[in-house]
Amino acid sequence: MTVHTDASKYLDPKVSAFVSGKHEMLIGGKWRPSVSGKTLDVLDPANGKVIAAVPAGEAADVDLAVKAAREAFNGPWSRLVPAARAKLIWKLADLIDQHGLMLAQINSYECGKPIGDSRNGEVPFTAETFRYYAGWATKLNGEAMTINAPGDWHAYTRREPVGVAGQIIPWNFPLAMLAWKVAPALATGCTIVLKPAEQTPLGALYFGRLVEEAGFPEGVVNIVTGFGEAAGAAMSAHPDIDKIAFTGSTEVGKMIARAATGNLKKVSLELGGKAPTIVLGDADIEMAVAGASSAAFFNAGQSCGAGTRFFVHRKIYDKVMSGVAERAEKLRLGAGLDPASELGPVVSQQQMERITRLISEGRGSGAEIVTGGERAGDVGYFVKPTIISSTTPEMAVMREEIFGPVVCAMPFDDEDLETLAQDANDTEYGLAASIWTNNLGAAHKLAAKIKSGTVWINCHNFNDVTMPFGGFKQSGWGRELGAQALDLYTQTKTVAIRLP
Ligand code: ADP
């Protein structure tokens, strides 16, 4: 298998100039280096080469950003009427579209995903998310209550912005995750300190330029680049951040929840998953094969909703699994920037090593590798799409979130929905699941029994900006997207008036 690991020739010269240029953080409307002067390297995961250095922000930088965000919250941002906020957010969406090619290339360069997924998927979705929440800015109303007490009263609620929002995002969908957090926060009138993942800060910094161009008042959006243990931890514990929104691992989510207790800031967490893909006996095999493959291998499996445990009815198991294996073996691995690549590298050496270690441990405890099972090539962080069979529920490959192109497959004989749901729910996570069937009754009954924030039927990894997304169990707190995301950034004030 040859893997194309250097695709920098596809880079637009403007993107090259941006990436290799000097990078600073956006704080209070000014671009500045970290207070310590330290930087961190950004790598191309297709070959491990350093492509940029960005400021390594720490607690002192977070302090400056929070101060700027607080001033903007108390000052110019709070004076803008909702329609003016909506206009700015809409303008930002237009700029994202206009700069779509640049953003897509930066995104694929730093996180490795195929350029088509960035250009036709993530970037338009990012713009759409801003547009959707621009519409909400003018629709955040309270209610008037009818009071039971004797006398004359007027009581109503106001939906007020929570204040300064700290937002910590991961590297798997750097732009979409940014939009899911930044857009509703802006719509509700919050100000923001955003920390992109250390592996993928460049898209966020480019986005910072668009924020400036759109004309947001200084300090409304501040972007601090840096490591999680330094900048992220300082944000979670910061006494003047009112709300923290996080997407990432369950382990870090728990640390953030603990750190947030200092000032009891509001916390929302979108954490890990171990989604089941359940293929019932009557499923359309062709559709199930395509869907299950994409569930497992889309974004090299680096998606919290990835379908990582296949439960397939025995009578179609061989057909489905040989179809998925055939697709896995045909996927063209290569650098995300190369338009021919269908599966990019995983994001880092550390992730690649973790994935291959989990696969080896599974093999060591008796699981069988149907296809893949190892690193691809010896340059960059490529992992062959992998199918594992003969697993048992206690194996680490079945329990831990792998975050790589790896799926465990099991046949089932009895289509008893209760047992199927029990097996699907046998995980500490509860983010997503998919069911493949044409049996309407079974689909709805099973959907009700599955303990997860999203259940997809005859589709997987389908996110629409209108649909709330988030986790049951240890997959998180709160829901992003849809109208529910607005609740994360607003608080209700009750005003009760005695009418003399
Ligand atoms: P992943 O496993 O997907 O890399 P992480 O949970 O490690 O996810 O990282 C997601 C985001 O959380 C990144 O922006 C990272 O910098 C940040 N992060 C990591 N550790 C901490 C921490 N201790 N406190 C706050 N943020 C952190």
Side-chain angles (χ1 to χ4, degrees):
M1 179 187 292
T2 51
V3 181
H4 191 184
T5 60
D6 185 357
S8 48
K9 70 169 186 197
Y10 293 103
L11 275 181
D12 184 283
K14 281 193 284 191
V15 178
S16 284
F18 169 76
V19 170
S20 59
K22 185 163 185 257
H23 296 287
E24 294 183 310
M25 302 184 281
L26 181 62
I27 297 181
K30 310 275 176 311
W31 292 94
R32 48 197 309 163
S34 61
V35 171
S36 69
K38 284 189 237 168
T39 58
L40 66 87
D41 286 340
V42 183
L43 309 183
D44 176 351
N47 51 43
K49 288 187 190 147
V50 174
I51 57 172
V54 302
E58 296 173 339
D61 305 280
V62 170
D63 280 344
L64 292 173
V66 172
K67 192 162 171 287
R70 177 63 60 194
E71 281 170 14
F73 181 73
N74 291 337
W77 194 231
S78 69
R79 287 193 290 272
L80 282 188
V81 295
R85 288 205 305 274
K87 222 169 169 177
L88 284 169
I89 301 169
W90 193 276
K91 182 146 183 217
L92 191 50
D94 285 346
L95 286 167
I96 290 167
D97 278 340
Q98 280 163 30
H99 291 252
L101 177 65
M102 300 275 288
L103 283 165
Q105 287 208 347
I106 294 167
N107 199 46
S108 283
Y109 201 14
E110 62 179 344
C111 80
K113 75 181 61 191
I115 186 69
D117 292 347
S118 290
R119 187 70 189 99
N120 307 319
E122 193 168 348
V123 169
F125 189 33
T126 298
E128 210 42 55
T129 304
F130 278 96
R131 253 179 220 117
Y132 172 81
Y133 285 106
W136 269 115
T138 50
K139 292 157 196 78
L140 296 166
N141 299 313
E143 351 170 63
M145 272 72 65
T146 310
I147 299 299
N148 290 303
D152 291 318
W153 299 90
H154 174 46
Y156 62 93
T157 58
R158 290 165 51 83
R159 278 185 96 177
E160 298 190 357
V162 98
V164 174
Q167 306 186 318
I168 303 175
I169 56 174
W171 42 260
N172 57 342
F173 296 97
L175 298 173
M177 293 299 104
L178 176 154
W180 290 22
K181 291 191 168 40
V182 172
L186 291 175
T188 53
C190 290
T191 55
I192 293 164
V193 177
L194 172 76
K195 193 200 87 63
E198 48 270 45
Q199 298 86 348
T200 54
L202 300 173
L205 292 176
Y206 194 85
F207 168 79
R209 295 182 171 199
L210 304 184
V211 168
E212 275 193 310
E213 194 178 335
F216 282 83
E218 291 182 352
V220 171
V221 178
N222 303 277
I223 302 171
V224 175
T225 50
F227 290 105
E229 310 82 69
M235 286 168 66
S236 325
H238 203 287
D240 203 31
I241 288 185
D242 303 300
K243 191 243 155 21
I244 201 106
F246 170 75
T247 297
S249 60
T250 293
E251 188 193 351
V252 173
K254 289 180 184 176
M255 285 188 223
I256 289 175
R258 279 192 287 269
T261 57
N263 68 338
L264 280 183
K265 54 175 67 67
K266 314 281 180 270
V267 178
S268 51
L269 305 168
E270 204 261 88
L271 307 176
K274 193 75 186 166
T277 305
I278 306 167
V279 186
L280 300 188
D282 73 297
D284 174 328
I285 293 182
E286 217 173 298
M287 191 200 262
V289 165
S293 310
S294 157
F297 305 133
F298 170 64
N299 214 38
Q302 304 170 112
S303 158
C304 42
T308 55
R309 294 177 298 143
F310 288 175
F311 298 91
V312 185
H313 195 292
R314 172 110 41 205
K315 70 179 186 199
I316 54 169
Y317 181 82
D318 287 344
K319 269 196 189 147
V320 171
M321 292 321 300
S322 61
V324 175
E326 193 185 326
R327 279 174 175 255
E329 283 154 15
K330 276 196 190 143
L331 282 174
R332 263 198 309 261
L333 271 66
L337 285 174
D338 181 342
S341 301
E342 294 169 319
L343 188 79
V346 297
V347 78
S348 64
Q349 171 132 7
Q350 196 191 358
Q351 282 297 118
M352 180 181 72
E353 286 171 358
R354 185 169 176 277
I355 296 163
T356 48
R357 174 177 55 76
L358 278 163
I359 298 172
S360 314
E361 281 174 16
R363 192 187 265 144
S365 47
E368 284 171 42
I369 307 299
V370 177
T371 185
E374 59 190 5
R375 180 178 184 184
D378 52 10
V379 175
Y381 314 132
F382 293 88
V383 178
K384 290 184 184 168
T386 299
I387 301 173
I388 305 179
S389 68
S390 308
T391 53
T392 52
E394 65 284 355
M395 286 180 186
V397 275
M398 282 288 287
R399 307 215 74 82
E400 289 188 31
E401 183 178 45
I402 301 178
F403 236 59
V406 180
V407 60
C408 299
M410 287 126 296
F412 62 85
D413 293 296
D414 181 6
E415 207 157 279
D416 171 51
L417 300 184
E418 206 57 58
T419 317
L420 266 180
Q422 255 172 32
D423 291 343
N425 290 335
D426 183 17
T427 162
E428 67 192 27
Y429 297 111
L431 192 66
S434 67
I435 303 168
W436 299 79
T437 180
N438 287 312
N439 179 339
L440 203 56
H444 284 297
K445 283 192 215 164
L446 198 48
K449 289 180 199 297
I450 287 187
K451 295 190 170 67
S452 69
T454 294
V455 178
W456 290 298
I457 296 170
N458 294 330
C459 59
H460 198 113
N461 278 331
F462 170 67
N463 288 308
D464 187 89
V465 68
T466 59
M467 300 186 338
F469 188 77
F472 280 27
K473 301 198 277 185
Q474 295 195 36
S475 289
W477 289 345
R479 295 289 176 272
E480 295 189 306
L481 295 186
Q484 291 201 13
L486 302 160
D487 297 340
L488 305 179
Y489 297 97
T490 50
Q491 49 195 350
T492 300
K493 178 182 283 173
T494 302
V495 181
I497 311 165
R498 184 201 300 272
L499 301 174

